[in-house]
Amino acid sequence: MLQEIHSAAEMQAIALALKREGKTIGLCPTMGYLHAGHLSLAKAARAENDVVVMSIFVNPIQFGPNEDYAVYPRDMAHDKALVEDCVDYIFAPQPEDMYPEGFHTEVAVHELTRHLCGASRPGHFNGVSTVVSKLFNIVQPDRAYFGQKDAQQLAVIRRMVRDLNFPLEIVPMPIVREADGLALSSRNRYLSAEERQQALILNQSLQAAAAAVAAGERDAKKLTDSVRARIQTMPLAEIDYVELVDEDMQPAEDISGWRLLALAVRFGKTRLIDNIVLEAN
Ligand code: AMP
């Protein structure tokens, strides 16, 4: 039976009791308005842990002053119905409980946050690493599940776990897409029909880049220029960035070893991100 917990202290007491009983805990951190991408995390957690906790928290400190914190979609009834078969606890704290008066601590992962979303959303990743640290301490997970959809976030959390010796495993999960290729995102609901149609260019341009790499292209500038050119054929698309980076999220000049081709593009008021891993075979 799915239980909804709103207090950090209560969640932590439950988690510590479960640990004393020798139970393993899987955590899926989310901001809610759940979709099949979130569900894939919960299902993986269900298969690998005794107890599954999904956090649903629209984290104010990871939003910039002109971003969509106030209007970010929220629907707890829908979220509970979607995950009730694979989640034991939904942890949905209030912002005042997570950040009481006098909260003055921040966790910052440097270098990996210099480019991509780290450059276009100043302070965003400090908000992410701070809240995820808190969630790890509250929920005491053995495993935590993160989507490759937010590839830079995944890299930042992995580095934080390594650097700060969090005793848990980070499990990366592949990007879940709509049948037409659009990566699932809670923010897709902001898109008009026309914007949504034009947004298909994101996955298409990433796929084209993968095909170019398969055909022998190795040059970062040629690859990113061609992705940009494709996206710019869509009149409603406004590119934030298109970049090729290495596993430290630093700009790469060519395809040699693991590479991430990542992009952020605005359609109207909606900023979408997507990416693909490219490797020379
Ligand atoms: P969010 O609620 O957007 O903060 O996302 C919560 C978690 O779900 C993050 O680890 C995301 O990377 C992951 N996630 C979001 N969208 C997808 C998707 N389309 N496929 C796989 N994972 C996703």
Side-chain angles (χ1 to χ4, degrees):
M1 187 59 194
L2 175 61
Q3 285 192 59
E4 203 178 317
I5 309 291
H6 294 281
S7 140
E10 186 186 355
M11 184 73 246
Q12 191 179 50
I14 291 170
L16 289 169
L18 289 166
K19 301 307 295 178
R20 278 194 296 273
E21 291 169 24
K23 298 272 202 292
T24 58
I25 300 176
L27 169 66
C28 307
T30 81
M31 298 204 299
Y33 209 73
L34 303 177
H35 51 63
H38 300 112
L39 190 58
S40 73
L41 272 52
K43 284 185 173 162
R46 177 81 283 159
E48 297 169 352
N49 303 276
D50 297 323
V51 177
V52 177
V53 180
M54 176 168 272
S55 59
I56 295 184
F57 181 56
V58 184
N59 176 34
I61 67 168
Q62 73 185 65
F63 287 78
N66 300 315
E67 294 183 354
D68 55 347
Y69 174 69
V71 297
Y72 195 85
R74 294 157 166 94
D75 187 345
M76 185 56 90
H78 156 91
D79 289 355
K80 279 170 80 171
L82 187 70
V83 297
E84 67 182 348
D85 291 340
C86 46
V87 166
D88 300 298
Y89 295 93
I90 285 181
F91 174 49
Q94 293 301 313
E96 308 78 60
D97 189 17
M98 291 295 270
Y99 306 114
E101 216 172 291
F103 186 91
H104 291 311
T105 301
E106 184 171 74
V107 179
V109 177
H110 300 293
E111 297 307 322
L112 279 79
T113 53
R114 196 185 283 276
H115 302 282
L116 310 179
C117 291
S120 48
R121 302 184 69 188
H124 167 68
F125 284 115
N126 291 355
V128 169
S129 43
T130 301
V131 79
V132 171
S133 300
K134 286 178 65 79
L135 291 171
F136 287 172
N137 284 328
I138 294 165
V139 177
Q140 305 276 315
D142 297 271
R143 297 181 192 84
Y145 297 79
F146 289 87
Q148 176 70 24
K149 161 87 183 343
D150 300 83
Q152 188 175 22
Q153 167 174 282
L154 173 61
V156 165
I157 298 302
R158 280 180 145 160
R159 188 60 56 96
M160 178 187 86
V161 162
R162 193 197 76 178
D163 288 354
L164 297 183
N165 305 87
F166 279 101
L168 54 91
E169 181 193 342
I170 298 299
V171 183
M173 295 296 299
I175 301 176
V176 177
R177 297 180 181 279
E178 303 276 10
D180 59 13
L182 184 67
L184 290 182
S185 165
S186 307
R187 290 189 168 101
N188 290 350
R189 73 156 285 170
Y190 300 145
L191 297 168
S192 69
E194 199 183 4
E195 288 166 348
R196 194 196 173 290
Q197 187 57 34
Q198 296 195 13
L200 298 181
I201 197 66
L202 303 185
N203 181 50
Q204 288 164 3
S205 62
L206 293 172
Q207 293 301 328
V213 170
E217 183 58 70
R218 295 289 177 266
D219 185 70
K221 186 165 185 317
K222 286 195 185 136
L223 286 165
T224 52
D225 280 352
S226 123
V227 169
R228 266 189 214 98
R230 273 174 199 274
I231 293 172
Q232 278 159 352
T233 63
M234 293 299 159
L236 299 176
E238 195 192 314
I239 295 176
D240 180 349
Y241 64 75
V242 175
E243 280 193 63
L244 188 77
V245 296
D246 63 17
E247 58 273 90
D248 289 327
M249 303 291 116
Q250 302 303 312
E253 294 192 343
D254 57 15
I255 303 279
S256 53
W258 190 95
R259 295 289 185 261
L260 183 79
L261 180 53
L263 53 80
V265 177
R266 278 200 176 71
F267 291 87
K269 288 197 294 271
T270 309
R271 181 176 177 279
L272 299 179
I273 58 171
D274 204 344
N275 67 79
I276 193 168
V277 173
L278 299 174
E279 268 171 298
N281 38 6

